[in-house]
Amino acid sequence: MTDDALRSAALTSKAWPFEEARKLVARYPQGKPNGEPVIFETGYGPSGLPHIGTFTEVLRTTWVRRAYEALTGAPTRLIAFSDDMDGLRKVPDNVPNGEVLAAALGKPLTKVPDPFGCHDSFAHHNNALLRQFLDRFGFDYEFMSATDAYTSGRFDAALRSVLRHFDAIMGVMLPTLREERRQTYSPVLPVSPSTGRVLQVPVRVVDAEAGTIAFTDEDGSDVTQSALGGMAKLQWKVDWAMRWVALGVDYEMAGKDLIDSTIQSGKIARILGAKPPEGFNYEMFLDEKGEKISKSKGNGLGLEDWLRYGSENSLQFYLWREPKKAKSLHVGLIPRAIDDYWQFRGRWPEQPVEQRLGNPVHHIHEGEVPEPTTLPLSFSLLLNLASLPGVADKATAWRFVQRYAPGTAPETDPELDELIGLAVAYARDFVAPGLARRAPTPEEAAALRDLDAFLASLAPDAPADEIQNGVFAVGKQHYGQEKLRDWFQAAYETLLGSSQGPRLGSFIALYGIDNSRKLIADALA
């Protein structure tokens, strides 16, 4: 596929990353001035640990970034920004030595001791985890620390602009606040010279060009000091707008809970003389009951939980669809996501470029979909295999797979090897405990005896299609064409302990004729 063909198809593609990328094309019809790179940003609050929301936002932003590059060939950058100069508001529940943090409440996170005792501060510890997290998944990004940006003077010019437009910014923010909050609100949060805490106190601009402010310190003393060089930071929505302006951010998406912040920050960015970035607001994740996922409730599926039972590619595939809508996130979604991913991967090689651009695997693999594009069997079939007695470990499952698909091996088929391990874990924890085989009715028993007789007539290596045809023939003989569904349900419930299951021909070929006949014998007994 040539770059020109790709670009031509991308101009009209309805795949959402290209639709988002075209916002940036409209923003810079002639490209960003002076050939500057288009800036994408994702934000991170380092008072907590990286999680699936972090992964999702960086992943989706990266898809838009790559789509824009495909459309234009223009340079881009992705900034992963850590708000590590925020004051620590409360002690997290999931860290040791909470008393160490409690003594530092209100101080910038980069001035709060690391409760784990391995980094210069709590923020440095969590920033390191963020970078390890992003590196683990191969994201291309530039890490940026708010503390570094403030203290180095990188934000000073933008801070002066905030001070010059102090009254106009107050005009945007005050109408959005409760009356009691208005009395103490300030866009600028000074760092106390006596305690080092970030203060939520009224501030007066003394000299905008010099960057000087005045306020009352915690001890009641009147202080006049610079707001530059890390002596102050900005209130959240003002800070976000200032960052967009100072860094030249062109694209940033955010959760639905930040819609109000996006609106107010956009107004402030315009006051500061810049256009707010493009982007969209996405919905939050929901649990199995349709309730919003909450760390405190413990009702969500974490990133590590998904990766314990499903592949990273399947997670990306699931996160691709309908990014602006609320998505359920629970373990029951994993098998379907894995099989759907492989179905779409199998279609990709034969698709014309227009369809490839709408295929999620094109974006997951940045246009270089690896070989193989198909597997010899589905994940759902592997689950049925791994749920049976005696197939509770990976090595045993592999022996069945190698008989079904000769020539495969863990060394030569690493993706299949990964899926077999995931299937064993998923079946052990979620499938096998819920299986309950029932005894067949007399009519079902007669059909099962005929199925057993048919299987006895086959060669041990009979192909799946031949077996499937025989299964159908037995079903038609006993149930008729109209009630074949009843036959398959009966077979699943009596042989596998579930009301639904795999294509029986494929399953019997995988499990083996003799083993399958033993299942029938056990059911009839």
Side-chain angles (χ1 to χ4, degrees):
M1 186 192 313
T2 66
D3 290 343
D4 288 343
L6 176 63
R7 194 162 298 151
S8 176
L11 287 171
T12 57
S13 174
K14 293 183 179 179
W16 69 263
F18 287 110
E19 291 181 338
E20 290 298 303
R22 287 196 289 270
K23 294 178 183 177
L24 291 164
V25 174
R27 185 181 178 96
Y28 297 118
Q30 306 303 318
K32 198 165 183 179
N34 303 316
E36 290 291 318
V38 167
I39 306 296
F40 295 78
E41 183 184 49
T42 61
Y44 169 68
S47 59
L49 303 178
H51 51 80
I52 198 164
T54 311
F55 175 82
T56 301
E57 188 169 313
V58 178
L59 175 67
R60 288 172 173 169
T61 301
T62 297
W63 282 334
V64 178
R65 179 188 181 190
R66 298 307 179 207
Y68 177 76
E69 292 171 344
L71 273 169
T72 65
T76 65
R77 294 167 54 206
L78 171 60
I79 296 173
F81 193 92
S82 172
D83 290 305
D84 58 16
M85 199 170 161
D86 287 351
L88 178 65
R89 297 181 182 179
K90 63 178 183 179
V91 178
D93 298 329
N94 58 347
V95 299
N97 305 313
E99 67 280 0
V100 172
L101 299 185
L105 288 175
K107 290 186 177 181
L109 291 163
T110 44
K111 299 297 183 182
V112 175
D114 178 15
F116 299 91
C118 53
H119 289 82
D120 292 342
S121 72
F122 188 37
H124 283 88
H125 177 272
N126 287 348
N127 284 342
L129 291 179
L130 171 68
R131 297 169 81 166
Q132 292 170 13
F133 179 85
L134 298 179
D135 291 343
R136 169 186 173 185
F137 297 107
F139 288 117
D140 175 28
Y141 68 98
E142 301 169 32
F143 175 79
M144 191 173 294
S145 156
T147 299
D148 291 346
Y150 272 104
T151 58
S152 69
R154 182 167 190 166
F155 283 166
D156 282 356
L159 287 169
R160 289 189 180 94
S161 183
V162 168
L163 297 180
R164 284 195 295 269
H165 297 93
F166 193 91
D167 291 341
I169 292 171
M170 290 286 279
V172 169
M173 293 306 305
L174 290 181
T176 69
L177 305 173
R178 299 187 305 272
E179 180 57 36
E180 59 181 308
R181 182 77 175 97
R182 294 182 191 180
Q183 303 305 314
T184 60
Y185 178 83
S186 169
V188 181
L189 306 178
V191 176
S192 168
S194 59
T195 67
R197 285 196 277 263
V198 179
L199 304 181
Q200 296 269 356
V201 296
V203 165
R204 178 172 59 85
V205 177
V206 176
D207 186 332
E209 298 308 316
T212 309
I213 57 174
F215 58 93
T216 301
D217 201 356
E218 290 183 283
D219 60 5
S221 61
D222 293 329
V223 175
T224 299
Q225 71 179 30
S226 176
L228 309 179
M231 296 300 293
K233 74 173 299 292
L234 298 182
Q235 193 79 249
W236 155 235
K237 296 173 187 177
V238 187
D239 184 270
W240 204 13
M242 181 276 297
R243 186 198 312 165
W244 290 341
V245 175
L247 302 180
V249 176
D250 298 301
Y251 190 93
E252 182 164 7
M253 59 181 69
K256 185 181 178 182
D257 57 330
L258 296 180
I259 286 178
D260 177 64
S261 298
T262 304
I263 293 171
Q264 306 308 325
S265 296
K267 293 178 180 178
I268 295 168
R270 291 186 178 91
I271 289 172
L272 298 178
K275 185 178 180 181
E278 311 299 330
F280 66 80
N281 293 101
Y282 52 82
E283 292 267 11
M284 301 293 102
F285 289 120
L286 306 176
D287 68 7
E288 208 164 358
K289 298 178 182 178
E291 298 178 358
K292 182 179 176 181
I293 283 178
S294 166
K295 287 184 182 179
S296 60
K297 290 182 182 178
N299 64 333
L301 181 72
L303 181 66
E304 295 303 328
D305 297 322
W306 185 293
L307 297 178
R308 190 174 298 117
Y309 303 109
S311 63
E312 181 188 336
N313 288 335
S314 69
L315 175 59
Q316 292 198 34
F317 180 90
Y318 182 71
L319 296 175
W320 159 271
R321 290 179 166 175
E322 300 180 317
K324 298 181 184 180
K325 293 186 177 181
K327 297 182 77 69
S328 297
L329 195 64
H330 55 83
V331 74
L333 299 164
I334 293 175
R336 173 71 180 272
I338 293 175
D339 281 339
D340 283 353
Y341 161 78
W342 279 98
Q343 286 178 14
F344 276 78
R345 181 161 157 178
R347 296 171 191 166
W348 188 85
E350 306 304 322
Q351 289 179 321
V353 60
E354 295 80 7
Q355 291 181 9
R356 283 186 175 185
L357 296 189
N359 187 328
V361 303
H362 179 89
H363 300 265
I364 291 170
H365 297 289
E366 298 186 6
E368 300 291 337
V369 179
E371 292 287 348
T373 55
T374 58
L375 292 176
L377 71 176
S378 67
F379 187 72
S380 58
L381 189 56
L382 283 172
L383 279 182
N384 287 112
L385 171 69
S387 304
L388 292 170
V391 196
D393 65 273
K394 189 174 177 181
T396 303
W398 253 115
R399 288 197 291 273
F400 284 97
V401 171
Q402 287 177 314
R403 184 180 60 196
Y404 179 81
T408 59
E411 300 77 20
T412 56
D413 301 271
E415 287 186 280
L416 178 57
D417 182 59
E418 177 193 29
L419 289 186
I420 291 174
L422 294 172
V424 168
Y426 191 100
R428 177 193 65 228
D429 294 345
F430 301 107
V431 180
L435 296 180
R437 297 177 182 84
R438 65 170 177 80
T441 66
E443 180 185 15
E444 292 166 348
L448 287 174
R449 280 192 288 270
D450 282 352
L451 176 61
D452 179 65
F454 165 71
L455 294 179
S457 71
L458 295 176
D461 59 349
D465 286 344
E466 181 181 352
I467 299 172
Q468 185 72 6
N469 290 337
V471 173
F472 267 107
V474 171
K476 289 178 183 177
Q477 176 186 345
H478 286 269
Y479 288 81
Q481 182 70 40
E482 298 77 15
K483 293 186 176 181
L484 273 176
R485 182 185 296 271
D486 294 343
W487 158 234
F488 284 105
Q489 182 172 341
Y492 294 142
E493 291 177 352
T494 58
L495 301 181
L496 302 180
S498 175
S499 61
Q500 55 188 353
R503 188 172 183 265
L504 281 176
S506 299
F507 171 76
I508 294 170
L510 172 63
Y511 194 47
I513 299 291
D514 289 343
N515 287 326
S516 300
R517 291 189 65 202
K518 186 176 185 305
L519 280 181
I520 296 173
D522 290 343
L524 293 174

